[in-house]
């Protein structure tokens, strides 16, 4: 799905897929360097991180393993509930591993601050975070995101894995959802 396919639902376009691709490539180049002599385990947070994981991992020139967790922090609406629970845990042990958590977006930071604390207690060698997007104005809990694609305004955005009520995840690019869609 392209931005033009849903232009009536979008207040404005923030990034085209081409712009996202270019930024993901830069992030991957940095990760290539930082993990050149490590054994990288990328942990994607379902469902939103699927696109970021697919594009970021394939942009690497080094090997990586991938695992997935599902964590609930939102309902189907537009505001964060602050409720965080693990719906699906990883299949892999992370003891002694260099873990890179992969997210589509850091919004309030509640999900990631919970997650980092939880994963730290499992004794990995290191934990870092990569997120395609971050909303600095929405932050409620400080989280150290080492690899950030774009800092974006505190608006309801869809596309590149980000949904509204399950839709728009398959949208190429990122747009601000028009309030009329969720009013
Ligand atoms: C989104 C996103 C992060 C979280 C960020 O997931 O993928 O996991 O919210 O929000 P926070 O910084 O306010 O905690 P969501 O719960 O919407 O699930 P989804 O990935 O399945 O869409």
């Amino acid at each position: 799905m392209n931005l033009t396919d849903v232009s009536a639902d979008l207040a404005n376009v923030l990034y085209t897929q081409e712009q996202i691709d270019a930024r993901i490539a830069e992030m991957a180049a940095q990760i290539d360097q930082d993990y050149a002599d490590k054994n990288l385990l990328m942990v994607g947070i379902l469902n939103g991180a699927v696109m970021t994981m697919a594009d970021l991992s394939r942009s690497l020139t080094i090997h990586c393993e991938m695992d997935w967790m599902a964590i609930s922090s939102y309902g189907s609406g537009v505001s964060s509930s602050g409720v965080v629970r693990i719906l699906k845990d990883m299949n892999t042990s992370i003891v002694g591993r260099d873990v890179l958590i992969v997210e589509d977006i850091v919004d309030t930071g509640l999900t990631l601050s919970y997650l980092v604390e939880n994963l730290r207690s499992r004794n990995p060698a290191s934990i870092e975070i990569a997120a395609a997007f971050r909303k600095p104005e929405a932050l409620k809990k400080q989280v150290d995101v080492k690899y950030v694609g774009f800092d974006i305004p505190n608006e309801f955005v869809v596309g590149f894995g980000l949904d509204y009520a399950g839709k728009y995840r398959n949208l190429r690019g990122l747009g601000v959802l028009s309030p009329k869609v969720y009013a």
Side-chain angles (χ1 to χ4, degrees), residues 45-50 69-77 79-84 87 102-115 133 135 138-141 143 156 161-164 166 169:
I45 310 305
L46 297 168
N47 295 309
V50 167
M69 290 181 82
I71 284 183
S72 158
S73 67
Y74 285 10
S76 60
S79 64
S80 178
S81 67
V83 177
V84 176
L87 305 177
V102 178
E103 267 287 22
D104 50 350
I105 190 164
V106 183
D107 194 328
T108 63
L110 294 169
T111 306
L112 275 173
S113 64
Y114 169 85
L115 195 60
F133 308 106
K135 291 181 179 173
L139 211 61
K140 289 183 182 162
K141 271 206 166 176
V143 279
F156 195 80
L162 288 151
D163 75 308
Y164 168 63
R169 286 195 203 277

Side-chain angles (χ1 to χ4, degrees), residues 23-39:
R23 184 70 191 113
I24 291 272
E26 291 174 352
M27 293 167 74
Q30 191 63 54
I31 293 167
D32 273 343
Q33 280 185 19
D34 294 350
Y35 290 86
D37 55 356
K38 293 182 176 162
N39 187 5

Side-chain angles (χ1 to χ4, degrees), residues 134-153:
R134 178 174 64 181
K135 291 181 179 173
E137 295 154 34
L139 211 61
K140 289 183 182 162
K141 271 206 166 176
Q142 190 57 45
V143 279
D144 188 12
V145 186
K146 186 162 186 183
Y147 310 97
V148 184
F150 300 96
D151 278 326
I152 62 170

